[in-house]
């Protein structure tokens, strides 16, 4: 009788154990199997989330003084919009990172490198400026938005995480709109956006990059 009860209960116990195990899986940021050609790895996804959050936090902080004290109203409004959007973007990136247990892999990612690191330094340098000048801020935007857009475009194209890919495409479209607005304001100061980002990859539709 006891044996019969155990056999009847065994499937339920195994199912519960399997459900618990699946719910507690931690993604491995350094998988043994390499990604397929043209595809990013989980470590690339986590690095994107980390670098993007750092850049958006720096962008929001750089825009904050101009949102309050910029001499020109249109620059002040643009800075306020940038500050608000990137603060919300930091929160969204943090939520995505938490869902993927990014904190456990943070030590293995290393510091930001390449263009993200350059853009981060550029924005951090703005924070030390004593004068609130629209030209300085917009000059920095001409330099950092190409990096923002490139990061999100690369993530959308290379990740195998469908949720991250959709998030990257949607966010990239908004960043392109911000870049267009920065370029229009920059024209007042004789600033020109980088030529190489005036076009738009065909898979993401028309309208990318600043208007001429």
């Amino acid at each position: 009788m006891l044996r019969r009860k155990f056999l009847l209960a065994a499937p339920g116990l195994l199912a519960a154990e399997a459900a618990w195990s699946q719910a507690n899986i931690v993604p491995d940021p350094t998988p043994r199997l390499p990604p397929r050609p043209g595809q990013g790895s989980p470590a690339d996804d986590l690095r994107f989330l980390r670098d993007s959050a750092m850049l958006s936090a720096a962008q929001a902080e750089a825009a904050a003084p101009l949102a309050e004290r910029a001499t020109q109203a249109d620059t002040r409004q643009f800075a306020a919009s940038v500050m608000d959007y990137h603060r919300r973007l930091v929160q969204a990136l943090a939520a995505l990172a938490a869902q993927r247990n990014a904190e456990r892999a943070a030590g293995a990612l290393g510091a930001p490198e390449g263009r993200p690191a350059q853009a981060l330094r550029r924005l951090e340098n703005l924070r030390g400026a004593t004068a609130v000048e629209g030209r300085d801020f917009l000059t920095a935007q001409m330099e950092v938005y190409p990096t923002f857009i490139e990061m999100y475009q690369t993530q959308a194209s290379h990740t195998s995480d469908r949720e991250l890919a959709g998030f990257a495409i949607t966010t990239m479209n908004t960043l392109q709109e911000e870049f267009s607005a920065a370029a229009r304001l920059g024209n007042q100061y004789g600033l020109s956006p980088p030529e190489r980002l005036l076009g738009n990859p065909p898979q993401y539709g028309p309208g990318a990059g600043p208007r001429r």
Side-chain angles (χ1 to χ4, degrees):
M1 180 63 70
L2 292 175
R3 176 179 176 82
R4 177 178 175 80
K5 289 182 178 180
F6 175 80
L7 291 175
L8 290 173
L13 293 173
L14 291 174
E17 182 179 357
W20 184 90
S21 300
Q22 188 171 6
N24 288 274
I25 291 175
V26 178
D28 183 359
T30 55
R32 294 193 181 108
L33 292 177
R36 295 191 299 271
Q39 189 179 73
S41 68
D44 293 330
D45 291 342
L46 299 183
R47 190 173 292 108
F48 161 77
L49 291 169
R50 190 273 313 275
D51 291 355
S52 298
M54 292 179 68
L55 277 177
S56 281
Q59 177 79 310
E61 189 169 350
L66 284 97
E68 296 181 0
R69 302 191 300 274
T71 54
Q72 291 190 319
D74 50 2
T75 301
R76 191 164 58 250
Q77 293 170 359
F78 172 70
S81 175
V82 168
M83 178 186 67
D84 177 67
Y85 177 70
H86 282 273
R87 283 177 176 174
R88 289 186 283 113
L89 188 53
V90 168
Q91 294 176 348
L93 289 162
L96 290 167
Q99 293 169 8
R100 290 155 180 79
N101 295 298
E103 186 175 351
R104 298 189 184 187
L109 297 178
E113 299 177 347
R115 289 170 61 86
Q118 294 173 6
L120 186 60
R121 286 193 296 269
R122 183 68 175 92
L123 291 171
E124 289 174 343
N125 289 338
L126 278 180
R127 294 185 304 190
T130 55
V132 181
E133 292 292 341
R135 181 184 178 87
D136 295 341
F137 177 71
L138 293 170
T139 298
Q141 301 310 297
M142 295 298 99
E143 298 174 16
V144 302
Y145 268 112
T147 299
F148 268 118
I149 294 169
E150 183 177 62
M151 288 172 62
Y152 280 86
Q153 179 181 324
T154 299
Q155 181 66 17
S157 300
H158 291 177
T159 184
S160 60
D161 186 322
R162 296 183 65 179
E163 182 183 15
L164 276 185
F167 172 81
I169 292 172
T170 302
T171 305
M172 184 181 67
N173 290 335
T174 303
L175 292 171
Q176 288 168 335
E177 293 172 1
E178 286 189 342
F179 189 22
S180 296
R184 289 192 295 271
L185 290 173
N187 285 336
Q188 302 173 10
Y189 301 97
L191 303 176
S192 298
E195 290 289 337
R196 70 182 186 86
L197 283 177
L198 292 178
N200 192 34
Q203 66 267 36
Y204 301 123
R211 298 174 184 174
R212 300 295 282 176

